[in-house]
Amino acid sequence: MRDRRVDALLLGVAVVWGSSYLAAKALLDSGAGTDAVLPVLTLRYVGAALALAVVVVLTRARVGRHELRWGLVLGCSQAAVLLLETFGVAGTSATNAGLLISTTILLTPAVEGLWTRSWLPPSFFAAALVAVVGVALLVGGGGWRTPTAGDLLVLAAAVVRACHVTAIGRVTRRVRLDLRGLTFVQTVVGAVGGLALSPSATVGFAASAGAGQWAGVAYLALGCSVFAFLAQSWAVRRTSAARASLLLGTEPLWAVLFGVVLAGDALGLAGVLGAVLLLSATAAGQRIELRSAARRRPTPELAGSEP
């Protein structure tokens, strides 16, 4: 029963993260497009920070010197990921965004390998090459079309996200941190940064937003940030890294499902082939990396991430 509950929570996190691209896309399309990116992100951060503040107080989470120091650093990198991702979603489809960000699964072990000089087997890079072909077919629109600016921004977000996840993994293995306090500091950094960059635009958006837009912001803040973090943190301690990684790795599948069914995104034959190649390659690369990690250490660790 406990295993089923853990699996259900991790799958729920993957579903919520997969839906976040469509939620952000709908929210931006209902507002002022790219002009709404900073206000939406700022309000998302403010909502998440307020909710996590309650969690920190109720659970007596530690927010000490280490949480403040690393929360500031990692908060900046997390904000960069969300900024690139949200601007990217504004310029491409929710389906494309969800698929392209899945390249993080391959980029993260590659970045960590470069950092530690622990090289992955050739089969991993073969999978990465197949993923590149899949990306080319996906963004090519059935031909050799130049990728949109949104596609490129989401790919850039995947690179920064891989570096962010690698940094979290390295830091949390070396420094004893309260993850609740660390995440709270990261959200405060994002909220303060957003308010500093776009105070008038954020106030204007908040004043003019309708009930649907506020519901979208609340979903991104409470569902995709607070719930996803708390559920993931609870669940990954009660299952294996391989099982957690497999369930969380279904995120792009849910992004495709929501994009195609709810938003009516059309991939075309080349796009479908690209999506299949990309998802297959990331799944294969994930399995290869986990086997390689299991040989390097007795108990593999999973470094969590937030879209």
Side-chain angles (χ1 to χ4, degrees):
M1 181 64 69
R2 177 179 293 181
D3 287 344
R4 275 190 233 166
R5 188 172 57 185
V6 171
D7 288 352
L9 265 180
L10 288 172
L11 196 59
V13 172
V15 171
V16 167
W17 280 347
S19 69
S20 67
Y21 307 100
L22 181 57
K25 179 76 172 174
L27 190 54
L28 294 174
D29 287 349
S30 69
T34 55
D35 290 339
V37 168
L38 278 175
V40 165
L41 273 182
T42 302
L43 292 174
R44 173 181 178 174
Y45 266 121
V46 169
L50 291 173
L52 283 170
V54 174
V55 172
V56 166
V57 171
L58 292 179
T59 62
R60 297 182 180 179
R62 186 179 69 249
V63 184
R65 177 168 54 92
H66 292 308
E67 285 79 14
L68 289 170
R69 177 195 301 169
W70 290 111
L72 177 60
V73 174
L74 295 171
C76 290
S77 61
Q78 182 191 63
V81 173
L82 288 177
L83 195 62
L84 288 167
E85 200 174 89
T86 311
F87 269 114
V89 167
T92 189
S93 67
T95 298
N96 269 25
L99 287 168
L100 293 173
I101 203 69
S102 71
T103 55
T104 303
I105 295 171
L106 291 173
L107 289 168
T108 301
V111 169
E112 187 168 10
L114 287 172
W115 185 280
T116 62
R117 300 188 180 227
S118 176
W119 310 118
L120 290 159
S123 55
F124 177 86
F125 296 99
L129 181 60
V130 173
V132 170
V133 174
V135 168
L137 288 171
L138 180 66
V139 303
W144 294 108
R145 177 178 63 82
T146 304
T148 67
D151 292 329
L152 295 177
L153 285 171
V154 175
L155 283 172
V159 174
V160 179
R161 184 169 165 181
C163 296
H164 173 72
V165 171
T166 300
I168 288 179
R170 300 287 294 174
V171 169
T172 53
R173 283 194 288 267
R174 291 170 48 201
V175 183
R176 187 175 180 82
L177 295 167
D178 188 313
L179 293 180
R180 295 161 300 179
L182 177 68
T183 305
F184 169 66
V185 175
Q186 288 183 79
T187 57
V188 170
V189 169
V192 171
L195 288 171
L197 289 173
S198 61
S200 57
T202 300
V203 171
F205 184 89
S208 62
Q213 290 171 309
W214 277 113
V217 170
Y219 180 71
L220 290 174
L222 303 180
C224 302
S225 295
V226 178
F227 161 76
F229 164 72
L230 295 176
Q232 182 192 22
S233 297
W234 182 86
V236 295
R237 288 174 172 81
R238 292 164 173 82
T239 189
S240 67
R243 193 172 185 84
S245 183
L246 177 66
L247 290 167
L248 293 173
T250 63
E251 175 190 342
L253 294 174
W254 296 107
V256 171
L257 181 64
F258 287 119
V260 171
V261 174
L262 297 182
D265 293 342
L267 289 174
L269 182 59
V272 170
L273 178 58
V276 170
L277 288 176
L278 178 56
L279 292 174
S280 301
T282 52
Q286 194 174 41
R287 289 194 297 271
I288 294 166
E289 192 274 334
L290 284 170
R291 285 198 299 267
S292 178
R295 287 193 294 268
R296 291 196 303 268
R297 58 181 183 264
T299 306
E301 297 180 20
L302 177 71
S305 60
E306 172 193 340

